[in-house]
Amino acid sequence: VQLQASGGGLVQAGGSLRLSCAPSGSFNYINDMGWYRQAPGKQRELVAVVRRGGNTNYADSVKGRFTISRDNAENTIYLQMNSLKPEDTGVYFCNAEFFSYRMGYINSWGQGTQVTVSS
């Protein structure tokens, strides 16, 4: 099972970007889906997660600016990022926990998409 992320780019501070992430492969359902980011020289950190039931959690640094959403029909997640700041710069990775009756639980990462916010 693989994840494909897209939507990154270069934007000025105060601007917006929308990331998307879609899976491919065979699975029965997906539990949590989320976005993480890694800035240069820093550890990967959680940005936002959406549970299978729809509950969401956000990093304090993005609350009120970012919105994670999930299309259960397409098994796709989105991250709407508004009021972007230079400190939001980094590589954004999507993550999901899949369940397959054949293989059990599988935690998978997307390839990462670069977000650069200029001041």
Side-chain angles (χ1 to χ4, degrees):
V1 183
Q2 295 181 327
L3 291 165
Q4 182 70 40
S6 61
L10 172 64
V11 65
Q12 288 188 330
S16 298
L17 284 173
R18 187 181 190 230
L19 307 183
S20 63
C21 178
S24 62
S26 178
F27 55 91
N28 294 99
Y29 63 82
I30 306 175
N31 282 330
D32 295 354
M33 300 183 78
W35 290 95
Y36 292 72
R37 68 186 179 191
Q38 187 165 18
K42 294 188 177 181
Q43 291 187 332
R44 191 173 298 187
E45 63 175 357
L46 175 69
V47 175
V49 63
V50 56
R51 313 293 181 189
R52 188 180 178 195
N55 291 336
T56 58
N57 290 97
Y58 295 89
D60 288 342
S61 60
V62 307
K63 284 181 180 176
R65 300 188 297 121
F66 291 11
T67 302
I68 189 170
S69 59
R70 177 170 177 164
D71 181 337
N72 285 323
E74 298 293 331
N75 293 306
T76 299
I77 57 168
Y78 304 93
L79 185 68
Q80 179 65 44
M81 304 185 292
N82 298 328
S83 302
L84 282 161
K85 304 175 181 179
E87 51 263 44
D88 293 318
T89 294
V91 180
Y92 283 67
F93 299 89
C94 58
N95 173 270
E97 183 184 71
F98 297 87
F99 180 79
S100 160
Y101 290 123
R102 185 170 66 88
M103 298 185 65
Y105 289 99
I106 305 164
N107 190 277
S108 183
W109 291 91
Q111 84 283 11
T113 184
Q114 177 70 44
V115 172
T116 303
V117 184
S118 63
S119 57

